[in-house]
Amino acid sequence: MLRSLPRATSIPSSLASALRITPRSIRPLAACPYGRQHQQTRSATAHAISNPTLAGIEKRWEGMPPQEQADLWMALRDRMKVDWHEMTLQEKKAAYWIAFGPHGPRALPEPGEGWKVFSYTMIGVGVSFVIFLLIRTQARAPPDTMTKEYQEMTNEYLKSQNTEPITGISSEGYTGKGQVQSKPKKP
């Protein structure tokens, strides 16, 4: 189809060469090991964080505003991108403490928290026991089928019907209780 077009409609060769972008022309920019982004990172991490900024970070961290915490963590994170032998001991300790120290969700429980949890648990168990007793005192009496006498009569009926003749109540030498599971009826 392109061959059928007249030559007059084609793009001039000077413009075509100016607009032509080949992978070969892009390659030097991508292959540069020190591109703009890398240079910005290097300049941000070239200097150590001052010792007064990191001094006593364990005690100051919880009281610092969140923005200041984030700024310090980002500075340490950028600093950790360089060789760790170039980092100061103070920076290494601060980075470790911020990442793994006992603050935030890893904070140690306050003194007496175990007793507090135990006491609230016991209060909950006590309240549930009181509710159980209140419900139990308001309940109806157990049915007549839950007396020892009725269950003994059930055993006699099952024997007369020859129920479970192999291993059950009607078998030879049966020594179990059968259906008896309740106390005798109160007078």
Side-chain angles (χ1 to χ4, degrees), residues 16 24 27 32 41 44 74 79-80 85-86 90 98 106-107 109 113 115 119 121 125 137 159 162 165 176 184 186-187:
R24 200 177 277 173
R27 191 178 311 143
C32 178
T41 305
M74 291 300 165
R79 187 75 178 122
M80 287 188 288
H85 296 297
E86 295 177 21
Q90 195 91 9
I98 290 171
R106 291 180 303 274
E113 187 173 346
W115 284 108
S119 62
T121 304
V125 168
T137 58
K159 286 179 186 176
N162 201 18
K186 295 179 184 177

Side-chain angles (χ1 to χ4, degrees), residues 34-108:
Y34 300 107
R36 291 177 71 186
Q37 185 180 14
H38 184 71
Q39 287 176 351
Q40 289 173 351
T41 305
R42 262 187 92 191
S43 65
T45 61
H47 302 291
I49 300 172
S50 65
N51 281 341
T53 304
L54 300 175
I57 194 70
E58 298 87 5
K59 296 174 185 147
R60 294 184 302 121
W61 184 257
E62 291 292 327
M64 290 171 70
Q67 183 61 41
E68 193 175 333
Q69 286 179 349
D71 291 342
L72 181 59
W73 174 244
M74 291 300 165
L76 279 170
R77 190 191 68 183
D78 291 341
R79 187 75 178 122
M80 287 188 288
K81 290 179 182 177
V82 300
D83 185 14
W84 275 53
H85 296 297
E86 295 177 21
M87 290 177 62
T88 65
L89 182 63
Q90 195 91 9
E91 287 173 331
K92 291 177 188 177
K93 285 181 179 180
Y96 181 83
W97 192 87
I98 290 171
F100 303 110
H103 57 84
R106 291 180 303 274
L108 299 174

Side-chain angles (χ1 to χ4, degrees), residues 102-145:
H103 57 84
R106 291 180 303 274
L108 299 174
E110 56 191 50
E113 187 173 346
W115 284 108
K116 192 179 198 181
V117 170
F118 179 75
S119 62
Y120 282 131
T121 304
M122 288 299 112
I123 288 171
V125 168
V127 167
S128 63
F129 185 70
V130 167
I131 291 172
F132 169 76
L133 288 178
L134 286 174
I135 292 173
R136 197 66 183 164
T137 58
Q138 300 300 319
R140 294 184 292 180
D144 291 336
T145 58

Side-chain angles (χ1 to χ4, degrees), residues 146-163:
M146 294 302 293
T147 61
K148 185 174 182 179
E149 295 80 11
Y150 188 91
Q151 292 164 358
E152 286 174 347
M153 290 184 343
T154 304
N155 281 346
E156 295 302 320
Y157 176 77
L158 291 174
K159 286 179 186 176
S160 69
Q161 295 293 318
N162 201 18
T163 306

